[in-house]
Every structure is written in C-alpha cells, then in structure tokens.
C-alpha cells in the first residue's frame, strides 16, 4: 500500500494559469517597453517621466507588476510548501511573503501615481 502525504491545498490548474498568463503579460510588457525605449532618440529622466504621464501606460505598468507579484506569490508558496516542513514556520514565512508583496504593491501604486 502506498501512503501519500498531502501537503498544502494543491491549487493546481489555477496556479499554473496564474504563472503562465503572468509570464506572458510580463514578457509582452518587457518587449513593449524595450521597443518604446529604442524608438526614443534619447532616454533620460525627463523622457522616462514624460512617458509615465500617460495614464494608459501607468495601467499597463500596474498590470505588469500585479502579474509579477502573483507570479512571485505562487512560486514562493510552492517553494515553501516543498522545502519547509514545519507547518508553523511555513505559515510564518508565507505571511512574511504576503506582507512583503502587499508593501511592494502599495509602493508600486505610489510610484506610478504619486507626485
């Protein structure tokens, strides 16, 4: 008889989709920003700042960062479930990751829309 130890919630397809769709969004954003920057004759602080005065570019950047944060969460949660066996320690580390990602999210919004 084979005994299986069930660890974690086994989110499966949802997490797989979050990571894959997020990776596609991030790749498209990097390509888009690369082409945009290469099309500018000069790239300095003023040009960079003027690009982000466009509201749609801010929203696209926010979508990139949300994708990156979700991608990071799924990856870190899987790593912690695989390698940190004590449940209390794993929960503590997962809470730290969630707090860090939430702070990064607030910081991202502040950077994109702050004055």
């Amino acid at each position: 008889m084979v005994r299986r130890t069930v660890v974690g919630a086994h989110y499966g397809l949802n997490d797989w989709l979050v990571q894959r769709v997020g990776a596609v969004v991030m790749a498209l954003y990097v390509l888009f920003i690369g082409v945009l920057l290469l099309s500018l004759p000069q790239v300095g602080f003023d040009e960079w700042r003027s690009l982000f005065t466009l509201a749609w570019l801010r929203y696209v950047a926010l979508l990139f960062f949300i994708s990156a944060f979700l991608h990071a969460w799924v990856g870190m949660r899987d790593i912690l479930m695989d390698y940190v066996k004590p449940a209390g320690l794993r929960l503590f580390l997962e809470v730290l990751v969630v707090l860090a990602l939430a702070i990064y999210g607030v910081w991202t919004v502040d950077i994109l829309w702050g004055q």
Side-chain angles (χ1 to χ4, degrees), residues 71-86:
H71 190 90
W73 164 244
V74 172
M76 287 303 299
R77 194 204 62 231
D78 288 350
I79 288 169
L80 292 172
M81 283 194 311
D82 286 346
Y83 295 108
V84 180
K85 296 304 177 191

Side-chain angles (χ1 to χ4, degrees), residues 4-10:
R4 263 184 68 183
T5 304
V6 178
V7 177
H10 297 284

Side-chain angles (χ1 to χ4, degrees), residues 6-76:
V6 178
V7 177
H10 297 284
Y11 299 100
L13 182 61
N14 289 336
D15 289 340
W16 185 85
L17 279 174
V18 165
Q19 283 216 308
R20 286 355 177 242
V21 170
V24 169
V25 167
M26 290 185 289
L28 291 175
Y29 179 80
V30 168
L31 288 173
F32 170 73
I33 289 295
V35 168
L36 185 64
L37 291 176
L38 289 174
S39 69
L40 294 174
Q42 179 183 2
V43 180
F45 177 77
D46 293 331
E47 291 80 16
W48 185 256
R49 186 174 177 142
S50 68
L51 279 176
F52 283 91
T53 59
L54 304 169
W56 66 269
L57 191 56
R58 289 181 185 176
Y59 287 111
V60 171
L62 184 62
L63 178 63
F64 166 81
F65 283 106
I66 289 171
S67 297
F69 297 149
L70 289 173
H71 190 90
W73 164 244
V74 172
M76 287 303 299

Side-chain angles (χ1 to χ4, degrees), residues 2-4 12 53 78 80 83 85 89 101 107 109 112-113:
V2 175
R3 288 187 177 257
R4 263 184 68 183
T53 59
D78 288 350
L80 292 172
Y83 295 108
K85 296 304 177 191
L89 178 60
L101 291 173
W107 191 14
V109 170
L112 291 173
W113 277 277

